[in-house]
Amino acid sequence: MIALLLAAALPGLIWDGPAPGPEAAGISRRCTSAEAAGYTRLPTPGIRGRAEEASATRQAWIIANGWRFERYRARNQVYRYELPSGKTVLAVAEAFAWDADVWMKIDPAELPHFARMSAFLRAHAAEPMPPVVNIGMLDDGSPLAGEIMNLMARKNLLFQVISSPEAGYDFVFRLGSEKPKTYPANPADYAESVRKQLGDEKRAVRIYGTSSVLVRLTGAGGKARLHLVNFTQNPIEAVRVRVKGEWSRRSGAAVDGSAQPAALALEDSVMEGGFTEFTIPSLPLYAIIDLGR
Amino acid sequence: MQRRQFLRAASALGLTPAAHAAPQYRVVTPYTKEGTMGMPGLYPSSLVSVHAPKSFDPAADKADPATVNAMLDRCMTALTGEKTPAGAWRRFFEPRDTVGIKLNCSGAPQIMSHPSVVAAIVKNLVAVGVAAKNIWLYERFPDQVRTVGYPSWLPEGVNILTAETSRGSIRNYDPRVYAEVNFFGEEDTRSCLVRLISERLTKIINVPNMKDHGASGVTGCLKNIAYGSFHNVARSHHDAKTNTLTFIGTLAAMEPLRSRTVLHVMDGLKGVWHGGPFAPVPRFRFFPRRMIVGTDPVAIDRVLLDVIEAKRKAEGAISVWDRDPRSLKRGRGFRDDPDSNNFIREPGHIEYASTLGLGTYDMAKIRMQDFRIE
């Protein structure tokens, strides 16, 4: 059952060359560029340097697609990446973490990376679990709402798009009939407003020590899975994680920028007040952390 | 179980016009007060100042180690009332101690905790039986410390730790000891204590310089021990606003930093009267050739305020207390113009720290012994 579910969740390969390459690498889920032409194209994930803009926090500008995956999840949208060299593993990690139906055209030289990443994900297959979020987002479909979701995602303000107000969220964000007449000059003000109204103490996940890691949390039945995607693609020394729930069992697995398995330790753990904290001494490109009671 | 202490910055203090917007701090530490030597220490309200014209030769950019040693000896014996330097140092340190020396290297290689001063401190520690391997010089940034060349001044075995081997890394900070506050909407709202302090050191000697500071007005004992022992502190400034008024004292008062910081040796061989904490413009450097020693960081910094203010006045610069928005210039404009501010400065941070019990701010209550060595 898990294998079947996982097969759909693993990114597929757009491959116009001779078939033996992917086949030899054990990749069966593939299509041609022509077949993928109708899928929604995604920006290449990564970090854009903004050296000309100084700020107290030196926050990087992350290009990520998780918010899009969340926004259009109900539509069962299918996506495609056309990736330059060096982005294969990051894109696979992003797509897998957000459980998106994605096809990707990669630098053929990175076929081994793609294959290793697929093998890693197969090895860590798990039953799908619903997302754990704080915010229900009433999406009016506007570009502004999209930008707010983008900015919330960049702050790891975990949200789920909902069509009508529902219970079970710490905060429901409405944009639509209640639009203010004058928008703030900066959509980030909306995201910050959501954060303030929600309160940092309630947030399902907090990340300390970096602003370049985005997360997704899923969980049910006394288990949870935390995905951490490091958009710098280089190891980050020491990342502190605070996650909702007191989790006495914690284990993780990780890969580096070449999809090679990487060591992942969880140190300085603390469980208190309904939350668990730990430090990852070195976070490679992608980590999966499984939590249990 | 961690002991959580919730501390609301005292917005009613009315120390400055900025005080009404005091942020809310959440201080988290499993440590409680240790002993009686922590700030304001064994000699609250007392300090000793020694001026020695021969201690530093600006033309040669050289200190005279013998004079520096004599300055430190005079300070320590006068502070403690002991007849000998060894007796004075034994009031604070015993052979079983692991001693940290908090450097200030933000202005290095021009203005920093001078290696001759640090070497004099280490000599005295070793003399009272502290093993060289149990002495740790520490700072946050290795690129600054490297420019000074401390090792050649020190006995073998003395350690130098720079917390951020990779800039911004939290690896060498203790995640159990932090102040949490959201100043400007920054995502990382924690500032954690250098792990060396919580896990290894039993005592700390703070060695600041005499410097002007673009955000806090001056940077002396309080700013050096606070901002130099925690990470992620630059976030307290944004645009023209700085939260140094309350953040410096809040951090300095946190345990175990407060209890373990037992002595302050202000190195005034060289100083900066504008553009600090860095020292890129030679004409803003000056040479007090002075040392101030005490256990009360507020009292020492209160005196420093007068030193910097007097120098700025003598140079025709605006006061460190100037809050006129028209004085604001950012970046190079500020750096080169002593009639400008980079932020609305907060020299009131020293008085604020006194309200947290860190020392004495009232000059009428500060007892200063003043000496001169020819």
Side-chain angles (χ1 to χ4, degrees):
Chain A
M1 183 62 178
I2 290 176
L4 280 174
L5 291 166
L6 182 72
L10 283 178
L13 187 65
I14 302 171
W15 189 263
D16 295 321
E23 269 179 13
I27 299 161
S28 57
R29 192 172 184 241
R30 60 178 188 270
C31 71
T32 64
S33 293
E35 290 168 323
Y39 302 155
T40 303
R41 184 171 175 182
L42 294 167
T44 300
I47 286 188
R48 189 170 70 216
R50 296 199 301 174
E52 76 283 4
E53 293 177 38
S55 71
T57 56
R58 295 191 180 90
Q59 187 161 3
W61 187 257
I62 297 173
I63 302 169
N65 294 297
W67 69 273
R68 288 190 178 85
F69 300 144
E70 293 295 353
R71 185 178 204 185
Y72 301 120
R73 192 169 298 284
R75 295 185 193 173
N76 294 320
Q77 195 137 327
V78 183
Y79 302 91
R80 68 184 163 93
Y81 291 99
E82 293 186 16
L83 298 167
S85 179
K87 295 293 186 183
T88 300
V89 178
L90 179 60
V92 174
E94 175 184 66
F96 183 79
W98 271 269
D99 191 23
D101 190 356
V102 161
W103 296 79
M104 51 185 67
K105 188 170 189 175
I106 64 171
D107 176 354
E110 292 184 3
L111 188 60
H113 298 59
F114 187 92
R116 276 197 297 273
M117 192 63 179
S118 298
F120 171 80
L121 298 178
R122 273 195 296 272
H124 294 90
E127 292 277 4
M129 293 184 283
V132 178
V133 301
N134 296 114
I135 301 157
M137 174 78 188
L138 284 163
D139 182 9
D140 68 355
S142 67
L144 176 64
E147 185 59 9
I148 293 165
M149 281 185 257
N150 183 9
L151 290 162
M152 286 199 300
R154 198 170 297 137
K155 283 179 174 282
N156 287 313
L157 288 162
L158 305 187
F159 67 90
Q160 193 168 24
V161 171
I162 54 178
S163 54
S164 60
E166 298 169 26
Y169 296 95
D170 296 312
F171 182 75
V172 173
F173 185 69
R174 301 161 184 266
L175 188 68
S177 60
E178 293 157 23
K179 274 179 193 168
K181 287 178 182 170
T182 307
Y183 289 139
N186 184 357
D189 292 348
Y190 278 110
E192 188 56 26
S193 170
V194 170
R195 177 186 173 191
K196 278 183 184 159
Q197 292 179 73
L198 169 64
D200 281 346
E201 279 298 304
K202 287 185 186 169
R203 289 168 63 178
V205 182
R206 294 289 307 275
I207 298 293
Y208 302 95
T210 177
S211 56
S212 303
V213 172
L214 300 191
V215 303
R216 184 165 188 254
L217 180 66
T218 60
K223 291 191 298 183
R225 170 167 277 200
L226 181 65
H227 303 261
L228 296 109
V229 183
N230 167 7
F231 282 77
T232 70
Q233 299 181 256
N234 297 310
I236 297 176
E237 189 180 84
V239 174
R240 184 79 175 161
V241 178
R242 177 181 190 263
V243 60
K244 191 175 183 178
E246 295 196 3
W247 306 104
S248 54
R249 290 188 293 115
R250 302 175 287 270
S251 62
V255 288
D256 66 14
S258 301
Q260 298 284 5
L264 189 79
L266 308 179
E267 297 180 347
D268 292 319
S269 301
V270 175
M271 287 192 295
E272 192 177 45
F275 289 83
T276 302
E277 292 195 17
F278 49 83
T279 298
I280 301 170
S282 179
L283 179 68
L285 189 146
Y286 176 56
I288 295 170
I289 296 172
D290 286 319
L291 305 162
R293 294 200 171 92
Chain B
M1 177 68 73
Q2 289 192 329
R3 172 177 171 267
R4 287 174 181 258
Q5 178 187 6
F6 292 83
L7 188 153
R8 181 186 295 269
S11 59
L13 277 174
L15 295 172
T16 75
H20 71 277
Q24 291 195 352
Y25 298 102
R26 188 169 71 99
V27 171
V28 176
T29 176
Y31 296 90
T32 53
K33 185 181 177 190
E34 302 165 355
T36 56
M37 295 178 76
M39 295 182 280
L42 293 179
Y43 305 97
S45 311
S46 293
L47 53 90
V48 182
S49 170
V50 174
H51 174 57
K54 288 182 185 166
S55 61
F56 193 82
D57 178 355
D61 194 28
K62 269 192 169 178
D64 176 38
T67 305
V68 169
N69 274 303
M71 293 168 84
L72 186 58
D73 287 350
R74 180 68 64 85
C75 283
M76 290 298 289
T77 51
L79 179 70
T80 58
E82 291 281 346
K83 289 180 181 166
T84 64
W89 285 87
R90 280 194 203 100
R91 289 268 183 120
F92 295 93
F93 304 99
E94 49 192 333
R96 67 179 177 180
D97 275 323
T98 299
V99 182
I101 298 176
K102 173 64 189 74
L103 305 170
N104 185 306
C105 291
S106 57
Q110 286 82 27
I111 315 284
M112 64 281 162
S113 307
H114 198 277
S116 64
V117 174
V118 175
I121 292 168
V122 169
K123 179 176 78 78
N124 282 285
L125 288 172
V126 171
V128 297
V130 178
K133 67 180 174 62
N134 290 333
I135 298 172
W136 292 77
L137 279 54
Y138 78 90
E139 236 312 5
R140 291 180 57 209
F141 305 122
D143 52 329
Q144 296 171 348
V145 172
R146 262 195 302 269
T147 64
V148 183
Y150 287 108
S152 64
W153 292 76
L154 302 171
E156 195 166 329
V158 172
N159 307 279
I160 301 178
L161 179 133
T162 48
E164 294 184 32
T165 46
S166 166
R167 192 87 167 196
S169 168
I170 60 173
R171 182 81 174 117
N172 288 321
Y173 294 92
D174 188 339
R176 302 168 306 145
V177 183
Y178 59 87
E180 185 145 33
V181 57
N182 182 347
F183 289 121
F184 298 106
E186 68 274 15
E187 177 56 25
D188 193 338
T189 50
R190 288 185 183 175
S191 293
C192 301
L193 182 68
V194 169
R195 200 183 276 265
L196 173 76
I197 296 168
S198 55
E199 295 185 353
R200 196 182 283 256
L201 302 182
T202 57
K203 308 259 174 65
I204 297 168
I205 303 169
N206 185 20
V207 190
N209 293 115
M210 289 186 162
K211 295 199 295 185
D212 162 274
H213 193 282
S216 56
V218 297
T219 171
C221 299
L222 290 162
K223 176 128 189 331
N224 190 50
I225 201 68
Y227 275 40
S229 298
F230 288 83
H231 93 293
N232 194 28
V233 290
R235 66 193 172 95
S236 65
H237 327 308
H238 185 65
D239 290 334
K241 166 76 177 168
T242 167
N243 288 286
T244 45
L245 177 72
T246 54
F247 201 30
I248 290 173
T250 299
L251 295 176
M254 280 179 64
E255 295 293 358
L257 180 66
R258 179 178 185 165
S259 287
R260 296 180 189 177
T261 304
V262 300
L263 186 64
H264 306 268
V265 177
M266 178 168 280
D267 164 7
L269 299 185
K270 300 198 260 185
V272 177
W273 60 270
H274 179 73
F278 312 111
V281 182
R283 72 186 171 102
F284 299 142
R285 300 173 201 153
F286 71 126
F287 302 91
R289 285 168 277 202
R290 187 175 175 185
M291 181 181 287
I292 305 178
V293 171
T295 65
D296 182 334
V298 177
I300 296 175
D301 283 1
R302 176 65 189 84
V303 171
L304 173 67
L305 254 181
D306 285 352
V307 170
I308 298 298
E309 183 70 350
K311 179 62 178 171
R312 288 181 65 86
K313 190 173 182 182
E315 296 286 347
I318 59 172
S319 166
V320 294
W321 295 95
D322 182 287
R323 303 185 70 85
D324 188 340
R326 290 171 299 183
S327 302
L328 289 168
K329 274 187 186 174
R330 309 308 304 278
R332 279 191 82 88
F334 157 72
R335 200 192 77 167
D336 297 331
D337 179 3
D339 271 334
S340 68
N341 279 330
N342 200 21
F343 302 96
I344 300 289
R345 302 213 244 181
E346 302 291 2
H349 76 270
I350 301 167
E351 186 174 8
Y352 180 84
S354 76
T355 70
L356 301 178
L358 287 165
T360 302
Y361 184 77
D362 183 353
M363 279 300 280
K365 294 177 181 168
I366 294 172
R367 297 180 302 277
M368 181 161 70
Q369 301 179 66
D370 216 342
F371 298 95
R372 182 180 172 95
I373 294 178
E374 296 300 336

